[in-house]
Amino acid sequence: LHHVSFVRIFIQHSIPAESIVHASRDITEYHKLISEIYGEEIITINHHYETHLVTCIEWYSKPRLYWTFPQESINSVLKRYV
């Protein structure tokens, strides 16, 4: 439910400041929950990126206003070194 909650917040047309606080909390709770249920090995780089979403929204505004594909394309390069 935490995952649905923060995704719902991030896709809104307008994101109030208090919603960003709730989303940050929900991301943390979601990661704790999946770690407890499935173990730490289930956490992927995408889960890590979720932890940066709140900062990105604070810096760049709503996710629907910018495109992350150029940054995501670097992931294949980085995976070779991890």
Side-chain angles (χ1 to χ4, degrees):
L1 189 60
H2 294 291
H3 192 260
V4 172
S5 175
F6 72 79
V7 169
R8 181 177 284 157
I9 290 168
F10 292 153
I11 63 172
Q12 293 177 18
H13 287 282
S14 176
I15 305 174
E18 65 271 4
S19 291
I20 294 174
V21 172
H22 292 299
S24 180
R25 183 202 63 225
D26 289 341
I27 290 170
T28 302
E29 291 301 316
Y30 170 68
H31 289 173
K32 285 180 189 176
L33 181 64
I34 63 171
S35 293
E36 289 171 7
I37 294 172
Y38 301 108
E40 290 290 323
E41 59 275 358
I42 196 72
I43 303 296
T44 66
I45 192 73
N46 289 332
H47 292 105
H48 172 74
Y49 288 150
E50 288 174 342
T51 65
H52 296 287
L53 285 173
V54 170
T55 303
C56 288
I57 290 171
E58 291 171 345
W59 289 358
Y60 306 115
S61 187
K62 301 173 288 226
R64 63 176 59 229
L65 298 179
Y66 56 90
W67 188 35
T68 61
F69 183 76
Q71 186 273 328
E72 290 175 2
S73 67
I74 296 172
N75 291 345
S76 61
V77 175
L78 295 175
K79 284 182 183 180
R80 289 185 225 151
Y81 300 103
V82 177

